Amino acid sequence: MFSRDNWREIFQTIQKNKLRTFLSGFTVALGILIFVVLFGFGNGLINTFQLFFEDDAQNIITFFPGQTTKPYKGYKSGRQIEFDRSDLADIEKNFPMFLEYVTPRIGRTYLTKFKNESNNYSTRGVAPSHQFAEKTIIMKGRYLDKLDILKKTKTAVIGRLVEKDLFGQEDAIGNYIDVGGSVFKVVGVYQDDGGDDEERRIYVPYTTLQLIEKNNDKVDQIIVAFKPELGYSGAMALEKSLSTFFKEKKYINPNDQNGIFIRNVAEGLKQTQQLARVLQLIVAFVAFGTIIAGIIGISNIMVFVVKERTKELGIRKALGATPKSVISTILLESIFITTISGVLGMLIGIAILGSLDKTLEDFFITNPYIDMPVAIFATVVLIIFGGVAGYIPAKRAARIKPIVALRDE
């Protein structure tokens, strides 16, 4: 099979039938190229879904107060639920074994000024641990600390774009800004991978914001970070326990779904990953369909090739060629063309994915890629079936008697 004469004959056949060889190779290369690109797009979809959650910590449960829709224990429906600082303490007291941290959040929008520059920015009153919930990256200075919370200091951590808008080339650290009529000292500047909106925010101690707002102790949201080792099941169980805790404390009907709203990142992440996997399976199914189409294409071409060479094969058999040598020559030619074309298509597909990079983010495809073992496996499968595609008609041709083959027109 690997003799020099066989290879010389294969190259002579390819040289004489350039168009047929090109069509055979093109069919194989196109099939594997489309497979690689489509499979890469599927991975790009998964990347997009993962990036959606990577901006924030993935082990947090956020509670939002709502409005009751059912009466309960003497309380009428339509009652607005409120959170306060005692809720934070009660959560830490009752669920210490499951928690990493608890942080409140108060959200406001204030006109913020520095010298002649001003703009409206989202201002959040938070605790120091909020930095971990948002994955806030400090560029310079520091984040809020416990002393800021205890002393209710007028300190602020501003986003990178807030500094750019208000300070230009000037360093914001140590300067004072007017936030809604109150003067705050800038102690830190942060960046956030979540995008421009995330970097146009200002963080201040939540106790300071409560002091400014008539010295109340209300908070808008409560963020609970659970220990990652709890896993998905543990996170769902903790969510249920916390929901029951809040409903009992706030006198909310257990069946009232509007008294408190909950966002569990663990649940959302799992659902999104499941959706992404389904989408990838669909894309992979279509991609494998292109490989099947390539196999069918090469099969049809090889059937035509063998039929075209029936007279030639008859002459070879008349001159003493064995059926085995006839089969091996055709089979080797088929495998050779399939291998070269398959590898070429695979490399071109990988190169296309590499060149796309972030250009398809508007179509929810981020950094499309394909694992090399997957690409090689698909190529090997195509090569194997390419060999089978050549073997079946070759075997049929090898059975034809020389006299019958020589009569073929």
Side-chain angles (χ1 to χ4, degrees):
M1 180 177 287
F2 298 100
S3 69
R4 184 177 299 178
D5 291 339
N6 274 348
W7 282 108
R8 185 183 296 112
E9 183 178 347
I10 288 170
F11 284 117
Q12 287 176 350
T13 303
I14 292 174
Q15 187 70 22
K16 291 178 182 178
N17 300 275
K18 294 179 181 178
L19 179 60
R20 183 252 295 169
T21 302
F22 170 77
L23 291 176
S24 301
F26 179 77
T27 302
V28 174
L30 184 62
I32 197 67
L33 185 150
I34 293 175
F35 170 82
V36 169
V37 172
L38 286 180
F39 203 91
F41 284 177
N43 286 332
L45 285 171
I46 290 180
N47 287 340
T48 301
F49 287 124
Q50 289 178 338
L51 284 174
F52 179 78
F53 285 92
E54 282 182 0
D55 175 42
D56 299 328
Q58 297 178 9
N59 62 321
I60 60 175
I61 305 172
T62 306
F63 294 87
F64 306 84
Q67 191 174 52
T68 61
T69 57
K70 297 180 180 181
Y72 187 65
K73 290 187 177 181
Y75 290 91
K76 295 181 179 180
S77 62
R79 177 167 49 96
Q80 181 63 47
I81 301 301
E82 293 181 326
F83 292 150
D84 54 47
R85 272 185 283 183
S86 70
D87 297 323
L88 304 174
D90 287 342
I91 292 173
E92 291 176 340
K93 179 182 177 181
N94 290 282
F95 303 91
M97 294 180 62
F98 310 104
L99 306 180
E100 278 202 338
Y101 57 83
V102 179
T103 176
R105 180 189 287 169
I106 302 173
R108 301 289 184 267
T109 299
Y110 290 125
L111 177 65
T112 304
K113 305 175 184 177
F114 176 74
K115 295 181 179 179
N116 296 324
E117 301 294 334
S118 64
N119 205 343
N120 287 303
Y121 294 104
S122 171
T123 303
R124 286 179 169 178
V126 298
S129 53
H130 192 275
Q131 178 183 3
F132 308 115
E134 283 287 326
K135 292 188 176 180
T136 303
I137 304 168
I138 295 297
M139 297 172 59
K140 50 187 175 181
R142 65 175 178 85
Y143 199 73
L144 305 174
D145 58 27
K146 291 182 179 180
L147 200 60
D148 293 322
I149 303 300
L150 290 173
K151 292 191 173 184
K152 304 178 182 179
T153 60
K154 288 189 175 181
T155 51
V157 180
I158 65 175
R160 178 182 64 87
L161 295 181
V162 175
E163 181 186 40
K164 182 179 179 182
D165 294 344
L166 298 181
F167 292 88
Q169 299 300 318
E170 188 175 348
D171 190 354
I173 301 297
N175 279 303
Y176 291 85
I177 56 176
D178 182 329
V179 182
S182 298
V183 178
F184 285 78
K185 182 180 180 180
V186 178
V187 297
V189 178
Y190 74 89
Q191 67 183 50
D192 194 301
D193 294 335
D196 291 356
D197 287 344
E198 296 286 344
E199 294 184 336
R200 280 197 166 92
R201 287 179 177 157
I202 299 172
Y203 293 114
V204 301
Y206 77 94
T207 51
T208 306
L209 211 54
Q210 289 175 332
L211 180 64
I212 293 172
E213 296 183 344
K214 301 178 181 179
N215 199 26
N216 67 58
D217 68 343
K218 307 301 180 187
V219 297
D220 294 345
Q221 303 165 24
I222 294 178
I223 300 172
V224 177
F226 57 86
K227 293 180 179 178
E229 53 265 30
L230 290 180
Y232 173 76
S233 300
M236 297 305 296
L238 179 60
E239 176 191 325
K240 185 176 180 180
S241 297
L242 286 167
S243 176
T244 301
F245 163 78
F246 274 122
K247 287 184 176 182
E248 288 178 352
K249 183 178 179 181
K250 303 295 181 181
Y251 300 104
I252 301 171
N253 190 306
N255 298 318
D256 192 341
Q257 302 300 316
N258 295 308
I260 290 177
F261 297 99
I262 304 171
R263 178 179 179 262
N264 191 335
V265 174
E267 181 180 14
L269 178 61
K270 182 173 182 179
Q271 291 175 347
T272 303
Q273 287 176 336
Q274 288 175 339
L275 175 61
R277 289 192 186 98
V278 170
L279 290 174
Q280 188 185 40
L281 286 174
I282 294 173
V283 172
F285 178 78
V286 175
F288 275 110
T290 63
I291 289 185
I292 294 173
I295 292 170
I296 294 173
I298 191 69
S299 299
N300 290 335
I301 290 173
M302 290 310 298
V303 169
F304 173 76
V305 167
V306 172
K307 186 175 182 181
E308 186 184 52
R309 296 176 61 185
T310 299
K311 192 170 185 178
E312 173 196 335
L313 296 175
I315 294 173
R316 291 186 59 191
K317 291 189 71 176
L319 294 174
T322 64
K324 183 178 179 180
S325 66
V326 172
I327 293 174
S328 65
T329 301
I330 297 175
L331 184 60
L332 193 59
E333 179 185 343
S334 174
I335 293 175
F336 177 73
I337 294 173
T338 306
T339 301
I340 297 298
S341 304
V343 172
L344 183 62
M346 179 187 72
L347 294 176
I348 293 174
I350 292 173
I352 290 174
L353 291 178
S355 65
L356 291 174
D357 196 21
K358 296 183 179 181
T359 57
L360 296 176
E361 286 185 352
D362 290 341
F363 301 95
F364 305 103
I365 297 174
T366 304
N367 295 328
Y369 74 95
I370 185 170
D371 293 324
M372 187 60 71
V374 175
I376 293 174
F377 173 77
T379 305
V380 170
V381 168
L382 193 59
I383 291 171
I384 292 173
F385 279 96
V388 174
Y391 175 76
I392 295 174
K395 187 176 181 181
R396 188 181 301 118
R399 290 175 178 172
I400 301 176
K401 294 179 180 180
I403 189 66
V404 176
L406 290 171
R407 289 174 182 171
D408 186 75
E409 293 296 335

